[in-house]
Amino acid sequence: MSTLAPLRLLREPWNASESNQNNATVGASGGWCQGLDIPNELFLALGLVSLVENLLVVAAILKNRNLHSPTYYFICCLAVSDMLVSISNLAEMLFMLLLEHGVLVMRPSIVRHMDSIIDMLICSSVVSSLSFLGVIAVDRYITIFYALRYHSIMTLPRAVVTMASIWLASTVSSTVLVTYYRSNTILLCFIGFFLFMLVLMLVLYIHMFALARHHLHSISSQQKPPTTHRGGGLKGAVTLTILLGVFFICWGPFFFHLILIVTCPTNPFCTCFFSYFNLFLILIICNSVIDPLIYAFRSQELWQTLREVVTCSW
């Protein structure tokens, strides 16, 4: 059964002896522990949909000069990260189909090298997606709490440096993860980074919503309409909260899978959880499918530009 190549490295726990793994598998062989048989066509279809959607988001941001701001550049980078998930999935599917049908004949060493490249793509997309979600949250936080100083704080050169730093760090970290994926220390760092970013974004959002609630109470007492800026800030905070929730639901099971690999590789319950690995992969791809829909429907200007791109109104 085909799965995303880099995540396939983490399908089975390696920190347990073969006999212990076999015993755990036998002990967890009943009922719901059989896992899910997900067809390759579903991986391929979701990958194609995600690729098209994220390409449209990138094209819309590049087309509309009103969207040439640090916030939308960060969103564009997030879309590129989602595209990496799709591209790696499609590349692996095509690569495996060509090998299975004898169209492509390669030495085992070259196949392993190609697999490592795909591994780096997907791992880089994970780190960069998390990082850009955090950066977008910080950007929105500055917009709300430091509105008058926003353009002096979040300048275009700083945004460029931030984006370049994230892509560089993502590439380096993905290389380390692919090379030392059997190390519990590396996995714990990976899990810790995920938890840190979640806590950071949750703290920022709670603070933003607390301010928004206080602002709405003040407006109600003064019977004045809300300002456009504050209303836009609240809408942006809601959008980012939805993105965070979708990301947590889609990526949470996979990171829980990593935690179980480190903590209980031979426990029968953990072995049952491992058997649903393909479901976790589908959720990851679904995340890259859902994100562009959120951008389109919650940003009126981006949605309008997307319509122009689709109808070729250049």
Side-chain angles (χ1 to χ4, degrees):
M1 179 179 298
S2 175
T3 60
L4 291 176
L7 303 186
R8 192 176 60 240
L9 294 174
L10 306 174
R11 170 191 289 275
E12 300 293 344
W14 56 86
N15 49 354
S17 65
E18 183 177 353
S19 60
N20 286 338
Q21 290 187 39
N22 292 335
N23 292 335
T25 301
V26 172
S29 59
W32 63 279
C33 296
Q34 298 301 318
L36 293 177
D37 186 11
I38 300 177
N40 294 337
E41 290 77 10
L42 182 58
F43 284 96
L44 184 60
L46 288 175
L48 287 172
V49 172
S50 173
L51 180 60
V52 172
E53 286 182 341
N54 285 286
L55 278 174
L56 289 175
V57 171
V58 173
I61 293 175
L62 295 178
K63 177 183 184 296
N64 192 340
R65 293 185 178 274
N66 293 331
L67 301 179
H68 291 183
S69 64
T71 297
Y72 282 100
Y73 284 150
F74 295 145
I75 292 176
C76 183
C77 288
L78 182 59
V80 173
S81 297
D82 289 337
M83 284 172 57
L84 287 178
V85 177
S86 306
I87 292 173
S88 61
N89 180 40
L90 295 174
E92 188 205 25
M93 290 292 298
L94 179 61
F95 187 60
M96 292 185 65
L97 287 174
L98 292 176
L99 288 176
E100 289 175 1
H101 290 81
V103 178
L104 185 63
V105 179
M106 303 177 69
R107 291 180 298 177
S109 59
I110 299 179
V111 173
R112 288 193 297 269
H113 181 69
M114 294 294 296
D115 209 30
S116 296
I117 294 176
I118 299 176
D119 291 351
M120 291 181 59
L121 279 175
I122 188 66
C123 293
S124 178
S125 71
V126 174
V127 177
S128 59
S129 293
L130 271 172
S131 300
F132 283 116
L133 278 173
V135 168
I136 292 171
V138 172
D139 178 78
R140 180 55 56 186
Y141 185 87
I142 296 174
T143 301
I144 294 177
F145 286 91
Y146 302 95
L148 298 179
R149 298 172 51 198
Y150 174 80
H151 293 291
S152 61
I153 295 175
M154 189 59 67
T155 61
L156 185 58
R158 288 178 180 174
V160 171
V161 171
T162 300
M163 291 183 288
S165 299
I166 289 176
W167 285 118
L168 178 61
S170 299
T171 302
V172 173
S173 60
S174 64
T175 303
V176 173
L177 179 62
V178 170
T179 304
Y180 302 102
Y181 75 95
R182 291 180 180 270
S183 170
N184 283 344
T185 302
I186 297 298
L187 281 187
L188 287 174
C189 291
F190 195 45
I191 296 168
F193 173 68
F194 175 77
L195 295 176
F196 170 77
M197 295 304 297
L198 281 179
V199 171
L200 172 65
M201 289 183 277
L202 283 173
V203 169
L204 293 179
Y205 293 148
I206 290 173
H207 197 187
M208 282 189 280
F209 280 123
L211 175 66
R213 184 177 181 182
H214 175 74
H215 183 66
L216 291 175
H217 280 300
S218 299
I219 291 172
S220 299
S221 62
Q222 298 175 10
Q223 294 185 348
K224 294 181 180 180
T227 61
T228 302
H229 177 77
R230 291 292 185 180
L234 177 59
K235 184 178 180 180
V238 172
T239 299
L240 293 176
T241 302
I242 295 174
L243 287 173
L244 175 61
V246 169
F247 188 89
F248 180 78
I249 292 173
C250 293
W251 280 101
F254 169 68
F255 278 91
F256 187 58
H257 175 95
L258 298 187
I259 293 174
L260 295 185
I261 285 179
V262 175
T263 58
C264 60
T266 60
N267 184 277
F269 170 79
C270 299
T271 305
C272 283
F273 196 81
F274 297 151
S275 66
Y276 286 84
F277 190 75
N278 283 330
L279 176 61
F280 310 153
L281 300 187
I282 287 293
L283 289 175
I284 290 173
I285 300 176
C286 284
N287 176 76
S288 62
V289 173
I290 295 172
D291 281 353
L293 299 178
I294 298 176
Y295 306 148
F297 285 108
R298 297 198 63 85
S299 174
Q300 185 174 359
E301 186 163 11
L302 182 54
W303 170 243
Q304 180 62 35
T305 308
L306 280 173
R307 293 178 59 184
E308 294 176 0
V309 170
V310 172
T311 57
C312 298
S313 302
W314 293 81

